[in-house]
Amino acid sequence: MVKPSPFVYWAQTESTISLKIDLKNALKPDVKVLDNNVIFTAKGTGARGESQYEFNLDLFSNIKSLEPGGEHITLRVFENRIELILQKVKPVWWPRLTAQPQKPAWLKINFDLWKSEDGQESDEEKRDVMRDYPGMYDQLHQEEMGYRKEDLKKVYLFIYNLFQFVGYMYVMAVMGVRYVKLDYDSVTDTYEHVGSAMKFLQLMQYLEVLHPMFGYTKGGVLVPFLQVTGRAFVLFIMIDAEPRMQTKPVVFYLFVVWTCIEIVRYPYYMSQLYKKEFALLTWLRYTLWIPLYPMGIVCEATIILRNIPYFEETQKYTVSLPNAWNFAFHMPTFLKFYLLVLTFPGMFLVMKHMHRLRNIKLRPKIVIKKSN
């Protein structure tokens, strides 16, 4: 009669192999470890109920063989499982557990232990094996599960960037098609047709302020906050709040500049998530800003400048004394101050920041070859 085998879940570090044997209420487990072979026998409750279970594993490489409970082998019996810790002879990373590429159906990967230095409970600092061996982890996960497990943060960021890219492509397509059909007559009612989409996409960009805050992306919070808020100020306060500004041609030009920037930026971010380098995309990401950023700032400054007499007339957002808060705010004066900050220090800081990034990303790589 063939004895059934229990489910066995394995994990490894450079120096150890851990086996978690899915057997409950095991009685007197018998484990024999010889070089690269492990033989296990025990009576307990497993996948086929209460029975005598056994398995025989030919390992990929040699392990230190002693009796269980000795210096090199740790056997721990719990009510719901058995744990076996083996020491490798050579501290190297194994591409698989078994000597043969084909593994038995009852052998699984214990992904929960891939971040532990060993299978024992310890207060020592734990090492991220997935970070040290990302390719090996992905390969084993694909072999085990039939697909490659993706980090949920990476999946979310990819979906976000893809959504924004599709949104800005929609805006560009609508403006382009209308311009082809109506020529310059389409410029004056650009905001009427794509203003809602632009406002929604702009609000979504505030997620880019939260991403570094919660560790989804690297970098600080201040720079993306200032960039997103600066755009939102122009879009919502300067354009959306003043109907007379919505029909100005400068709004069309500003939307073209913003859209051209974003339909390159978001695909670049998507490629970086999966560490894919596309030379043309990288060059566009760190070169298009040279003409587009000054054009965008000029358009924004023009909109603010044209709005000053409108806000003088309507007194919108202006708070006059006397009032209950004893506070005064003159919106046209604020716009003049904002215009000075945007035009000179703002443009300088943004251009300096992008120039530094361009030098880092596009500088020639120096390869040093050793001669014989």
Side-chain angles (χ1 to χ4, degrees):
M1 181 179 177
V2 179
K3 295 180 181 179
S5 298
F7 283 110
V8 179
Y9 299 86
W10 76 280
Q12 67 170 321
T13 67
E14 285 180 326
S15 58
T16 63
I17 292 290
S18 67
L19 302 178
K20 185 182 78 171
I21 304 165
D22 190 10
L23 204 60
K24 299 178 181 178
N25 303 319
L27 300 175
K28 297 181 180 179
D30 182 25
V31 181
K32 296 179 181 179
V33 180
L34 299 172
D35 296 331
N36 67 333
N37 181 259
V38 177
I39 301 174
F40 172 87
T41 304
K43 184 177 181 181
T45 304
R48 299 190 180 181
E50 186 175 355
S51 178
Q52 188 77 15
Y53 288 85
E54 67 176 23
F55 66 81
N56 190 327
L57 275 176
D58 291 323
L59 303 179
F60 178 80
S61 186
N62 289 342
I63 54 176
K64 298 177 182 180
S65 21
L66 282 174
E67 291 298 321
E71 182 182 355
H72 302 307
I73 299 175
T74 302
L75 178 67
R76 297 189 296 174
V77 181
F78 297 92
E79 185 177 348
N80 60 346
R81 69 187 186 281
I82 299 172
E83 292 182 359
L84 182 62
I85 310 297
L86 308 173
Q87 299 288 332
K88 299 177 182 178
V89 173
K90 297 181 179 180
V92 294
W93 190 260
W94 293 4
R96 58 181 182 272
L97 178 65
T98 57
Q100 301 298 325
Q102 296 79 17
K103 65 179 183 64
W106 43 266
L107 182 62
K108 309 290 182 182
I109 298 174
N110 190 353
F111 291 102
D112 294 337
L113 289 184
W114 270 65
K115 289 188 177 180
S116 297
E117 179 65 24
D118 53 46
Q120 304 181 36
E121 295 180 1
S122 173
D123 293 331
E124 296 180 2
E125 182 180 356
K126 294 185 178 180
R127 191 175 126 199
D128 192 343
V129 181
M130 289 186 290
R131 183 188 61 193
D132 294 346
Y133 305 93
M136 185 69 67
Y137 179 83
D138 292 341
Q139 178 183 350
L140 289 172
H141 195 285
Q142 187 166 4
E143 291 176 358
E144 178 70 21
M145 309 297 292
Y147 62 92
R148 197 179 120 205
K149 184 179 180 181
E150 295 288 359
D151 183 18
L152 291 179
K153 290 182 180 179
K154 184 184 292 186
V155 173
Y156 158 73
L157 289 173
F158 183 86
I159 293 175
Y160 167 77
N161 288 306
L162 179 62
F163 179 86
Q164 291 291 91
F165 169 69
V166 172
Y168 280 103
M169 281 298 296
Y170 165 79
V171 172
M172 178 65 81
V174 171
M175 291 191 298
V177 170
R178 295 188 70 255
Y179 192 86
V180 170
K181 289 183 176 181
L182 304 175
D183 200 63
Y184 194 76
D185 292 338
S186 68
V187 171
T188 55
D189 57 352
T190 294
Y191 191 80
E192 179 183 348
H193 288 84
V194 298
S196 297
M198 286 296 290
K199 288 189 291 184
F200 180 75
L201 293 170
Q202 183 59 44
L203 288 175
M204 288 290 291
Q205 284 191 341
Y206 271 102
L207 291 174
E208 298 175 29
V209 180
L210 300 178
H211 291 163
M213 186 182 299
F214 292 101
Y216 278 52
T217 57
K218 297 179 181 179
V221 176
L222 181 61
V223 173
F225 174 77
L226 293 177
Q227 290 176 338
V228 174
T229 302
R231 275 198 190 182
F233 175 78
V234 173
L235 182 59
F236 289 94
I237 306 300
M238 295 290 97
I239 301 175
D240 189 66
E242 178 49 62
R244 287 173 289 185
M245 181 56 62
Q246 297 171 10
T247 58
K248 296 294 186 286
V250 68
V251 174
F252 171 82
Y253 300 135
L254 179 64
F255 283 5
V256 170
V257 171
W258 283 357
T259 306
C260 288
I261 293 172
E262 305 302 3
I263 62 177
V264 172
R265 184 168 71 99
Y266 286 114
Y268 174 77
Y269 287 165
M270 286 188 284
S271 68
Q272 292 303 297
L273 284 172
Y274 292 94
K275 296 180 173 58
K276 302 294 183 181
E277 289 292 340
F278 300 99
L280 178 60
L281 186 60
T282 303
W283 183 85
L284 288 173
R285 169 70 182 105
Y286 292 102
T287 303
L288 279 182
W289 65 268
I290 297 175
L292 292 180
Y293 275 30
M295 291 170 59
I297 292 176
V298 169
C299 290
E300 293 177 13
T302 302
I303 290 173
I304 295 173
L305 187 62
R306 295 288 299 272
N307 258 327
I308 292 177
Y310 294 151
F311 282 90
E312 287 275 12
E313 176 188 340
T314 62
Q315 292 296 300
K316 185 176 288 187
Y317 305 124
T318 294
V319 180
S320 302
L321 290 173
N323 56 61
W325 301 281
N326 197 27
F327 169 79
F329 176 78
H330 191 236
M331 186 64 174
T333 302
F334 171 78
L335 292 180
K336 294 174 184 177
F337 176 77
Y338 184 86
L339 191 59
L340 291 175
V341 174
L342 173 70
T343 305
F344 298 105
M347 179 184 291
F348 172 76
L349 292 175
V350 170
M351 300 291 282
K352 182 181 178 181
H353 173 70
M354 291 304 298
H355 182 263
R356 182 179 61 83
L357 292 179
R358 188 175 194 274
N359 288 337
I360 295 173
K361 294 293 184 178
L362 300 184
R363 65 186 174 188
K365 297 181 180 179
I366 302 175
V367 180
I368 301 176
K369 295 184 179 180
K370 294 183 179 179
S371 57
N372 296 329

